[in-house]
Amino acid sequence: MEVSQRTEGEVEVIAISGEIDGSTAPAAQSQILSVAKSDAKILIDMSQVHYMSSAGLRMLLVVYRTVSGQGGKVVLTGLSQDLEDTMSLTGFLDFFDHFESVDAGLAAFN
Amino acid sequence: MQRVDVFPTHEHQEYKLRPGKPFPFGATLAPGGVNFSVYSSHATSCSLVLFEKGAPEPKAEIPFPDEFRIGNVYSMIVFDLDIEAIEYGFRLDGPWDPQEGHRFDKSKILMDPYAKAIGGRDVWGQPPDWDNVYQHRARLVYDDFDWDDDRPLEIPLEDLVIYEMHVRSFTKHESSGVRFPGVFAGIREKIPYLKELGVNCIELLPIYEFDEFEHSREDPKTGRQLVGNYWGYSTLGFFAPKAGYAATGKLGMQVDEFKALVKELHRNGIEVFLDVVFNHTAEGNEHGPYISLKGIDNKTYYMLTPEGYYFNFSGTGNTLNCNNPVVRNMVLDCLRYWASEYHIDGFRFDLASILGRDPWGAPLSNPPLLESLAFDPVLAKCKLIAEAWDAGGLYQVGSFPAYGRWAEWNGKYRDSIRKFLKGDIGMVGEMAQRLQASPDLYATRGATASINFITAHDGFTLNDLVSYNEKHNEANGEDNRDGTNDNDSWNCGWEGPTDDPGINALRMRQMKNAMTMLLISQGVPMILMGDEMGRTQFGNNNTYCHDNELNWQDWALLEQNAELFRYVKTMLAFRHAHHALRNRWHLTGTDTVGSGYADITWHGTQAWNADWSGTSRILAFMLCGKHAHGGQREDNYIYVAMNMHWDSHWFELPGLSEGMQWHAAANTGAPPPEDIWQPGEEPLLENQAGILVGDRSVVVLVGK
């Protein structure tokens, strides 16, 4: 699992690649939250994530609760059909705005 | 400030340990690790057995050091476990002395009785490895679901309409049109349907983890595979939702998927009841498998004869020892867990009379378990419903120890309505009781003690009740010997499906009659899944062993029987629109509010003069709207005429107060769309003095 980060205007774009499970989720979480200052606008690009365990789902929700608790916003982009289904069936998707592409996600912040 | 107990104090191989906390039992996430705790009154030693998920052999066995045992509880914290990657069990040593009730066998790996998720049957019907040394594997879960502001709905019991359903059967049929058939997520896709129908509570047949392969066998005649435990009444673990009932079960996410379903149902105003089976387990008798309790503490968990054999009050091999204090606590812990972690609204207890027997099988007058449940702080707002009988001959309908809390499946309601519906004589007196929520049975307990039902998973569907005189259980592979013969059904003139339009019209009318009686009765109605669209089991009244069309809901019926569906959903709307039908307390037959009318009055072909004679098949009643909900609510007057005679009859109508007139709400003898009207749109009755009620028909009027 790798996490890369860049800035597009006011938006922190975080791209995750690989698998997010119990062994990788803590690292992903701390890297994402390191940019989560107050009022943060965070876009997480999931297009290169092909598997996410229960711990991965929780990592995303922890990020959501942390960021939204500080007045910020999180959107997800590029969820595979499998991931979208899993997140939807387990109720996690209810918390997120999600978009097909990074561009569409960026537009959502404007 | 860091806690002191995050540091290990012991080691075993590469595992870092610390003495655990005895409570809560089971596996609980602790800072930096997992707290494992298990009780056994007679074990001499205990080990924790850890597996990589799915691995054939354990990766470690960690004996509980002596100093980790307090009383009869072994507890230990193991640090640095990847909780998603492991499965765990226990290995206990102790005496092998069946006469004394002990069956310890240290060759067995045993599932935690408190396991919150269980692996091994992750995808429904996927054949397991039968040589696996540990078939049903305890797993760890995060109990951290984000409920937002959801909590159990606490809809008053008198306002509920319960829909009894089976998770897989509801959407498994290809006609269901859902993306995720046969699972929790499939139900979620059908929420709009449930709302259209108008039910506000679903009662799920067992969803605690079970093995659909248990007692599976081949039909000797047809070679067809029979699924012995399709309904799920044989429980593996009381704290774990069935993985095979989740589309995400293969990912181990069944806990979240079920919680997401409950949350979404609540958001739509629908409560969730669970059918829970605490009378026995899947371990069978002395010939059955070791899964959990048998090897952990046989003498505590099971009712045993003086010779050490298993009592069989459940008819399934063993009987859980519910009034042993430890087992009682397990049941309490379990229900509290489902109420608090899953936001479950109510529980229906299978063969609940067993819960009132002492450890030697004798019925108790003041059963501690039932009392504890009734007074439990967490369960205080949960609905508790008893199936008030057991397979050992205890029949307690009307006498189940209720403590002001318990409601009952009213088996006598079912029997009386069925007999009256098919035209039996001598039923009108009983019918008057049943329509009033059976005050003869529940005099001091109020109307909500009576869960009214005509059909349930056990027995004929409504369509089959009016299409078959006899059960047709040949497909169960027991030469039609299984299943009850007491169906009180009538086929309307031909056994099974027919092209005869007269018979089919009569069957349609009888189904409408039944639904009308159910929905205008005081008490709490329960509808069996699919009866609103005429689901058939082809005359089979005991479909416990079929994973096929005998159980699956065929959604094409919704169109084929659109007339029935329209009628039922409109009758449900009628019930919801009228407080007079939903009293909490029994009617008194007197005028308590000064309206000039008693709350309920009885009529016949002559107003004010019901025919109570032994040959009568006719009964009518009127509810005074000013008495609705004990006089606290204003409602219309409601008049219901039931003619179960084969000729039509003229019913003289009771007069209303000045300014009010009778309007037609429903008439099962009329062709659609005039068989029922939307609440509020009922047409004025031309003749206010009387109405012709067709043969085997029911008329409902509102006075306003």
Side-chain angles (χ1 to χ4, degrees), chain B residues 286-305:
Chain B
E286 58 274 14
H287 306 297
Y290 278 77
I291 297 168
S292 175
L293 307 176
K294 184 182 280 184
I296 289 177
D297 200 345
N298 191 58
K299 190 170 185 166
T300 291
Y301 286 106
Y302 292 112
M303 283 193 199
L304 301 173
T305 68

Side-chain angles (χ1 to χ4, degrees), chain B residues 523-566:
Chain B
V524 185
M526 183 178 82
I527 296 172
L528 172 63
M529 177 191 91
D531 277 356
E532 73 279 14
M533 55 174 116
R535 185 169 75 86
T536 180
Q537 292 171 179
F538 308 98
N540 194 319
N541 74 355
N542 189 30
T543 57
Y544 71 101
C545 55
H546 296 285
D547 185 11
N548 55 42
E549 289 78 5
L550 277 172
N551 276 313
W552 298 347
Q553 174 62 54
D554 178 357
W555 290 81
L557 290 172
L558 202 51
E559 203 161 307
Q560 288 168 34
N561 290 321
E563 177 185 342
L564 179 64
F565 179 65
R566 172 181 170 273

Side-chain angles (χ1 to χ4, degrees), chain B residues 78-278:
Chain B
V78 184
F79 290 89
D80 303 324
L81 293 175
D82 182 347
I83 76 159
E84 290 185 332
I86 64 159
E87 295 164 329
Y88 72 98
F90 298 114
R91 194 190 294 280
L92 286 87
D93 200 2
W96 168 263
D97 187 352
Q99 266 209 317
E100 280 301 306
H102 304 309
R103 293 179 180 269
F104 288 97
D105 180 348
K106 66 180 176 186
S107 74
K108 309 290 186 190
I109 302 169
L110 303 162
M111 191 186 75
D112 181 0
Y114 281 69
K116 292 174 183 141
I118 298 171
R121 299 292 182 270
D122 299 4
V123 177
W124 178 285
Q126 193 166 293
D129 171 9
W130 295 108
D131 295 329
N132 191 325
V133 294
Y134 185 33
Q135 288 284 328
H136 306 292
R137 300 180 165 205
R139 288 182 181 166
L140 299 155
V141 302
Y142 299 98
D143 274 325
D144 63 349
F145 188 76
D146 200 325
W147 287 97
D148 288 314
D149 54 1
D150 180 79
R151 62 149 205 207
L153 294 179
E154 299 181 12
I155 299 173
L157 192 47
E158 62 269 25
D159 292 340
L160 285 187
V161 178
I162 303 170
Y163 189 74
E164 192 204 27
M165 59 187 279
H166 183 275
V167 173
R168 184 170 169 84
S169 294
F170 190 52
T171 61
K172 183 57 189 168
H173 199 281
E174 60 180 11
S175 62
S176 74
V178 300
R179 272 193 71 206
F180 298 98
V183 293
F184 297 130
I187 298 176
R188 199 167 148 191
E189 293 179 63
K190 286 290 187 188
I191 289 175
Y193 171 78
L194 295 169
K195 286 183 79 173
E196 184 188 359
L197 174 59
V199 295
N200 54 10
C201 175
I202 61 171
E203 180 172 309
L204 302 175
L205 262 64
I207 62 134
Y208 294 173
E209 185 63 73
F210 62 86
D211 182 2
E212 63 271 21
F213 289 99
E214 188 187 351
H215 300 308
S216 285
R217 62 190 200 282
E218 231 174 52
D219 183 336
K221 286 192 179 143
T222 63
R224 197 176 193 185
Q225 192 65 26
L226 299 172
V227 181
N229 192 22
Y230 180 78
W231 279 344
Y233 282 90
S234 189
T235 309
L236 290 167
F238 298 104
F239 292 77
K242 178 154 184 60
Y245 275 172
T248 58
K250 58 183 185 293
L251 303 170
M253 296 181 189
Q254 60 269 26
V255 169
D256 288 325
E257 184 174 324
F258 185 49
K259 288 176 179 176
L261 169 63
V262 174
K263 187 177 175 184
E264 194 62 23
L265 283 162
H266 283 174
R267 202 178 281 160
N268 286 279
I270 299 172
E271 294 200 340
V272 182
F273 287 8
L274 299 184
D275 189 338
V276 293
V277 189
F278 290 112

